[in-house]
Every structure is written in C-alpha cells, then in structure tokens.
Amino acid sequence: MDNVLELRGVTKQYEDFKLDGVEFEVPKGCICGFIGQNGAGKTTTIQLILDIIKKDAGEIRVFGQDMQKDGAKVKEKIGVVFDEMCFHEFLTPNQINGVMKNIYANWQEEKFFGYLKEFGLPSRKKCGSFSRGMRMKLQIAVALSHEAELLVMDEPTSGLDPIVRNEILTIFQEFVMEENHTILLSSHITTDLERIADMIVFIDRGHILLCGDKNEILENHGLMKCKKEELSQIQTEDMVSWRQSEFSSEVLVKNRKECAQRYPRIHMEPATLEEIMIFYAEYSRKASQIVPEE
C-alpha cells in the first residue's frame, strides 16, 4: 500500500521540549488519529510536516517528496485545518474565495460555494462573527475546495458541541471514501477517533508510544480489574501499566485473549482508546516498572 506520509527519525529540540526520533507512516485512503495530551508534541509534529518550522534531524516525505525541497508543489495537494481560524476576522467567505483563487492553482470556486451552502454558512457575513463550529466548517470548506488529497488537521473538533462534531466527522468520512483521500487528524477526543479512525499514532512527551491499526489496538488491549492482593499474580511482561486504589487495582494488558486464559479468575474488560492512552502515558512515566514492548 502506498504511503502518503512518512516520518523517519524526526527530531526538533526546544529549550524545554524535544520531539525525539518520531517515526510513523500513513497509508493512502486512511484516517490516522494522532492522539496525545496537550503539550505532547502533536502540533509541533504537524508544523514540521507542513514545513512551518524546520526539523533538526530526520526525514519527512509527503506523497513521496521532501517538503523542504518540493514544498510549494506538495502543498497544492494538502488541505489544512487548525484549531483556530487562520483567516482575518474582517473577511467574508466571498472575499476568502477571491484570496484562495490567487493561492491555489486548482481552486474550485463552484465547489467552495457549494460547501458554504451545504454547511449553512453565509457568504457575505464577516467570519469574525461566526461561531466556533461555523469557523471550523469554513476552514474545512476551503480545505476541500482545491483538490486536496491529504487533509492535515490539528484539533478541529475541540470545543464543539456533539451535534456539530458529528456533522464534521461525517464530512471527514465522506472525504476519505472519495478517490482514496487521506486524513491526519490530531485530537485528544478519543471517542471521535474510535468512530472514524483507521489507525492510531499516540505521542507522549515527544515520543511515539503506540502506533498501529485502531481495531487491532482495541482488540489486543484489555483492562483487568482485580483485588489489590491479586495484582502480584499478573506477570510483569503482560502489563502495560497499572493503577491502584486502597482496595483494588486496574491493569492494562496488551494481549487480552492470552491474559483471559492465563488469569481466568480475574475480571477482564475491553479497554477504550482513552484508557489505553492514559495507561500508556503512565507507562512512559513509570519506566522502572515497565518491561518494554517486544
């Protein structure tokens, strides 16, 4: 399968933060959920992919091309949506259309106004007066109107009410169903990604902790709930991490079926993506208690 996006050993050093050897790839036709808590490195990674900031080391290829060498050509095929609107608030969608015609060679005016109508956005109203949901829809309309093959989005559904989020997620799903389009979707709203993502990349403190097919990740991981004294029965190599209260323990395991057979008396539940993210973050912080994944 062709990869639309490839990162190899990507590093960026700041005074108080380091993106350290980040590696993952996103296949064509995939929705990749890029998850992690605030400050984990999601936005830095996206800015590096888009060549907004320069990497210190590593390689980034989009559609097989180096963004630093072929960025202008590649960016024609990328649609971008940030968590904050990137247009001046005094502009109307009509005026934004005029601006975009001079930026993108493949700008499709008819499609843009079609999206405005579909999204219920007024074309002559200043976008500074739009609600957060309307602003997100406006950015998405722009991103989808210049024949983009890859959407790169940084927290596009953050702060939106459930109804608007549902509408936007549906738009993303429809986009990917057409012509093998691809999405890199940064978010900390794991329920959104459980619904639409094909693969998950989890970053924490500048390191990739987990990467793979979403369904396999959910199928393989399990949450064992046991009495405090039962925790010692569970082999360290089966654990990702654990947390304890005064009387009970919860353990995230990465081989649910095997552990269900190995510890039949301990209650096992499927783990949500949010629980997996939390326990892997604890895994990162408890290095002395964790056996590295094979």
Side-chain angles (χ1 to χ4, degrees), residues 47-229:
Q47 290 177 339
L48 288 167
I49 291 170
L50 298 174
D51 200 31
I52 296 172
I53 58 177
K54 303 299 182 183
K55 63 185 184 299
D56 296 330
E59 182 181 25
I60 300 174
R61 303 190 74 81
V62 184
F63 300 106
Q65 296 177 289
D66 188 319
M67 282 295 288
Q68 290 189 348
K69 297 178 181 178
D70 305 297
K73 181 179 178 181
V74 175
K75 286 177 182 178
E76 282 280 340
K77 301 163 69 175
I78 302 175
V80 180
V81 178
F82 291 114
D83 61 339
E84 294 295 336
M85 187 173 65
C86 56
F87 305 116
H88 290 297
E89 294 192 349
F90 58 80
L91 292 175
T92 67
N94 270 343
Q95 292 170 323
I96 290 171
N97 173 66
V99 172
M100 293 299 110
K101 284 196 292 187
N102 293 317
I103 293 177
Y104 291 108
N106 295 321
W107 180 253
Q108 297 174 297
E109 182 176 287
E110 185 176 344
K111 179 176 282 190
F112 176 67
F113 283 104
Y115 280 123
L116 294 183
K117 184 176 181 180
E118 180 182 343
F119 298 163
L121 300 177
S123 61
R124 299 182 180 180
K125 191 174 181 179
K126 292 181 180 180
C127 61
S129 64
F130 286 7
S131 68
R132 178 170 174 79
M134 294 169 71
R135 293 180 181 203
M136 286 297 105
K137 289 180 180 179
L138 176 59
Q139 289 195 84
I140 292 167
V142 171
L144 298 179
S145 297
H146 60 88
E147 296 186 359
E149 296 177 30
L150 168 66
L151 289 188
V152 177
M153 294 177 285
D154 191 7
E155 303 285 358
T157 59
S158 177
L160 301 180
D161 66 68
I163 294 175
V164 175
R165 276 175 43 216
N166 179 67
E167 291 176 359
I168 289 176
L169 293 178
T170 300
I171 293 167
F172 296 161
Q173 288 177 306
E174 292 173 349
F175 173 78
V176 169
M177 291 174 65
E178 300 174 0
E179 302 176 8
N180 285 326
H181 291 155
T182 307
I183 292 178
L184 176 65
L185 173 58
S186 164
S187 180
H188 62 269
I189 305 177
T190 54
T191 51
D192 288 353
L193 300 179
E194 283 187 355
R195 171 183 161 183
I196 69 168
D198 300 300
M199 67 173 290
I200 295 294
V201 176
F202 174 39
I203 189 170
D204 185 70
R205 296 190 296 173
H207 295 83
I208 302 298
L209 296 187
L210 186 65
C211 180
D213 180 273
K214 179 202 68 179
N215 291 334
E216 290 182 2
I217 289 172
L218 290 172
E219 182 178 346
N220 291 339
H221 289 81
L223 194 61
M224 300 180 71
K225 297 188 175 183
C226 59
K227 298 177 182 178
K228 192 173 182 180
E229 59 269 19

